[in-house]
Amino acid sequence: MGEKSVNMNNVADRGTHLTTALEQLKTAFDAAGDAVNARKLKQLIDKSADERLYIAFCGHFSAGKSSMINKLCGHPLLPSSPIPTSANIVSITNGAAEARITRRLAETDAVQAGAQAIVESIPLEQLGEYARNGTEIEAVEIRYPIPLLEYAVLLDTPGIDSTDDAHHMATESALHLADVVFYVMDYNHVQSEINFAFTKQMKDRGKPLFLIVNMIDKHREQELSFDEYRDSALQAFRNWHIEPDGVLYTSVKREEHPNNEWNRLLWTLRQLIAHAPELSAFSVHQSAAHLVEEHAKLMAERQADVKAALRERLAEEGLDEVQSEFEKERAKLNELLALPEQLEAAMRKDALAVIENANIIPAPTRDLAHDYLQSRKPGFKVGFFSRASQTAAEIEKRLLALHRDFSEKVGTQIAWHVRDAVRKRWEENGFPADEAIAAADSIQVELTPQWLADQVSMAAGFTGEYTLNYSRDIAAEAKSLYRKRAYEAIEQLRLLAAERLAEGAASAEQRLAALEAQLGAVRELERLAREDAAYRERLLAALASAPLAPALPDAAAYRAAA
C-alpha cells in the first residue's frame, strides 16, 4: 500500500472518530434545549461526510470580492456593483448550470431541531434580486461548469462592514462551515480597524487565513515603493498579533500589473483543494470546539438571573470584606497547621548542618589516635624488660588522652552548637526558649573510653593508613549517634509545638465556620462556576483527539513550483 493510501486511511479514521464526537455533542445540545447550536452541529456532521473544501471569501462591500469570484469562476455569476450585492451566503460549486435558494426559517421554527428549510430553484438571471434579499433568503447556491471547483465550494459572504444584523448572521454561518478564509481588502483600506478585528477573530478560531490586497492598480510607485507598502501592510496586522497564513496582492482590472499575484492565488487554491480531506477535518474540529464554547456560554447565561441576585446580595451585605477576612483567617489556620512540620524540618536542617560540618578529628587528635593505635599493636611493650602491668598502664594512658581530646572536640564542635541551633529556631518561631531547654539538653551522647577501644579492628595493620580510617570511623559514628539523638529531641519539640498551636487552630476553625455561614452567596457562585466549567470540559473532552493542523501553501513553495 502506498504512502498516499495510508494517509487517506488515517484521514478517514480520524473523520469517523470526529463524526462520532459531533453526534455525541449534538445529542448533548438537543438535551440542553440548544436547538440553534444543535442545528449548526448537524451542518458540521453533514459537512464532515463531504469530500469538498469550503473556501470562504470575505471582505468589505467595495473590495472587489464579487468581481474576483466571477473571474475565478470564468463567468459573471455574481452581480457586481458599487452597492452591496450579497445579503446572504452565496455558494458556488461545479455542476450543471442552475441556482437554488434556501428560505430563512421563521424564528419559531428555527429553534425546532427537526425544522426543514424550504429550498427553491431559480433562473440564474434572477440571482441578483435574490442575493440582495437577506431577510427572507438564508442562502443561495449556484452550480456552474467550473473545473477548479470540482472538489471545492466557494462561499461569498455579505460585506463585513454591513450594519444589517441579517448580514452578520449570514457571514457567521459561512465562517462556521468554511475550511479556509480568504479576506479581500481594498488597496486603500487595508489598515482599517474592522479588518484587524475580523481577521483576529478568524485566527482565534483557528481558521486558516489568507489576506488578499485587491485593486493594487491604485498603487503609485512614485509616492511609495510597493515593497515598502507591502511591509507596512503586513506589520500593521502583526501589531495586532495577527499572523496570516499568506498575503496575496491582486488586480482584477489589470492582469499585466507587475505585482499582480493572480497566478499565485490560483495555485494556492489548487494546493488547498488537493488537501481537502485534511483541511476539512481540521476545520470541522475547530468549528465544533467553537460551538462548544458558544453553547457553554449559553448554558451559563441561563442562570444569569440567579447569579445576578447572588452578586447583588454580596454587595448589599458587604460580603466582600467578609470574603477578605475569610481568606486571611484560612491562611492563618493553614500556617498554624503547617508550622510544626515546617519547624521540625528547619531544626533537622540546622542540626544536620552543624553535625556534618563539624571537624572533630583535627591533626592533633589524629596524632593521639595514632599513638593509641600503636599501643594496641600486637607485641607492643613499654620497655625491653617491662612488666605486663606497665604495658597495660601505658595503653590506658594513651586511650584516656585520646578520649579527653576527642570528647572535648565533640562537645565544642557538635553538642553545644546543635543544642544552641535547636533553641534558637524554637524561639524564632514565637515559642518560649525555656520550653526547648529540656529537649535540647537531651541531645547528649556518652562516648566512653571503652567505646573508643571497641572501635579498633585488631585485624588491621596499624599503619598510618589505618589511623586515617579509624579516625574517619569514630568521627562518622559519633556524628551518626548525635544525629539520631538530635532528631529524637526535635520530634518531641514538634509534638510540643502542635500541642501549643492546637488552641489557636481551634479558634481559627471556629472563626472560619462563622464566616462561612455569611458567605453562602459566594459559595453558591463558586459552585455554579464549577458546574459551568465542568460541563464545558466534559463537552470539550469529546473533541480531545484533535486532527493535526495541515501544512498550508506559502510564497516560497509557489516560487519553487514556478
Side-chain angles (χ1 to χ4, degrees), residues 217-457:
D217 45 275
K218 296 179 181 180
H219 177 72
R220 298 295 176 265
E221 189 70 20
Q222 63 273 22
E223 298 175 4
L224 177 73
S225 75
F226 195 79
D227 286 341
E228 291 175 320
Y229 171 83
R230 184 162 40 205
D231 292 343
S232 173
L234 182 56
Q235 187 58 49
F237 281 89
R238 286 175 173 167
N239 290 341
W240 275 66
H241 307 289
I242 302 166
E243 193 68 43
D245 295 297
V247 184
L248 299 97
Y249 297 83
T250 60
S251 173
V252 176
K253 184 183 297 185
R254 286 185 54 196
E255 294 184 13
E256 77 286 355
H257 192 285
N259 295 304
N260 189 11
E261 295 185 311
W262 184 261
N263 288 335
R264 182 186 160 201
L265 172 60
L266 290 173
W267 177 85
T268 300
L269 288 170
R270 292 190 182 101
Q271 291 296 311
L272 292 169
I273 294 169
H275 295 85
E278 304 99 301
L279 283 165
S280 180
F282 178 74
S283 171
V284 168
H285 181 276
Q286 297 298 97
S287 292
H290 177 72
L291 288 180
V292 167
E293 298 291 353
E294 293 299 305
H295 171 74
K297 289 178 186 176
L298 179 64
M299 294 299 101
E301 288 169 1
R302 289 187 175 181
Q303 298 191 76
D305 291 344
V306 174
K307 295 173 183 176
L310 290 170
R311 293 189 185 97
E312 185 177 348
R313 177 184 159 193
L314 287 175
E316 289 176 353
E317 298 182 8
L319 293 184
D320 284 345
E321 292 78 7
V322 178
Q323 175 70 21
S324 175
E325 186 177 353
F326 178 87
E327 295 301 331
K328 290 179 182 177
E329 198 68 31
R330 182 162 59 183
K332 177 182 176 181
L333 175 60
N334 290 338
E335 289 177 4
L336 289 173
L337 295 176
L339 183 55
E341 298 290 342
Q342 294 172 349
L343 180 59
E344 180 184 29
M347 287 181 170
R348 278 174 166 256
K349 181 179 179 181
D350 293 344
L352 186 62
V354 169
I355 294 169
E356 294 299 322
N357 293 323
N359 181 13
I360 54 177
I361 301 287
T365 307
R366 193 164 54 250
D367 291 341
L368 290 172
H370 182 74
D371 288 345
Y372 168 63
L373 291 174
Q374 291 302 305
S375 72
R376 296 291 302 276
K377 189 175 182 180
F380 172 76
K381 293 181 180 181
V382 175
F384 187 76
F385 296 106
S386 65
R387 294 188 298 272
S389 60
Q390 291 177 312
T391 298
E394 180 64 22
I395 294 174
E396 181 72 10
K397 175 183 174 184
R398 294 187 184 188
L399 175 60
L400 292 176
L402 172 61
H403 178 259
R404 282 193 301 272
D405 187 86
F406 183 66
S407 297
E408 179 189 358
K409 297 298 187 298
V410 170
T412 57
Q413 298 299 314
I414 293 181
W416 187 89
H417 288 290
V418 167
R419 290 194 291 269
D420 185 61
V422 168
R423 285 195 296 264
K424 282 183 177 178
R425 181 68 70 172
W426 180 262
E427 190 174 5
E428 285 173 0
N429 281 271
F431 298 103
D434 57 358
E435 291 186 338
I437 292 176
D441 287 347
S442 71
I443 306 175
Q444 295 282 358
V445 176
E446 186 178 4
L447 301 175
T448 65
Q450 186 58 47
W451 179 83
L452 285 173
D454 290 342
Q455 307 305 310
V456 177
S457 172

Side-chain angles (χ1 to χ4, degrees), residues 131-208:
R132 293 187 182 94
N133 186 348
T135 303
E136 299 178 10
I137 308 302
E138 179 177 5
V140 178
E141 180 183 357
I142 301 173
R143 293 181 183 271
Y144 199 82
I146 308 169
L148 176 66
L149 303 182
E150 184 176 359
Y151 298 106
V153 179
L154 289 187
L155 301 174
D156 181 28
T157 66
I160 64 159
D161 47 348
S162 172
T163 57
D164 192 324
D165 288 342
H167 294 185
H168 293 164
M169 288 176 59
T171 301
E172 168 65 24
S173 180
L175 298 176
H176 161 65
L177 294 173
D179 298 316
V180 182
V181 176
F182 282 84
Y183 188 75
V184 185
M185 299 170 286
D186 184 321
Y187 168 89
N188 285 328
H189 301 106
V190 171
Q191 298 191 33
S192 164
E193 186 168 337
I194 195 171
N195 291 341
F196 301 138
F198 182 85
T199 51
K200 189 173 191 315
Q201 180 187 11
M202 291 303 97
K203 289 303 291 183
D204 290 345
R205 285 196 188 187
K207 296 284 184 181

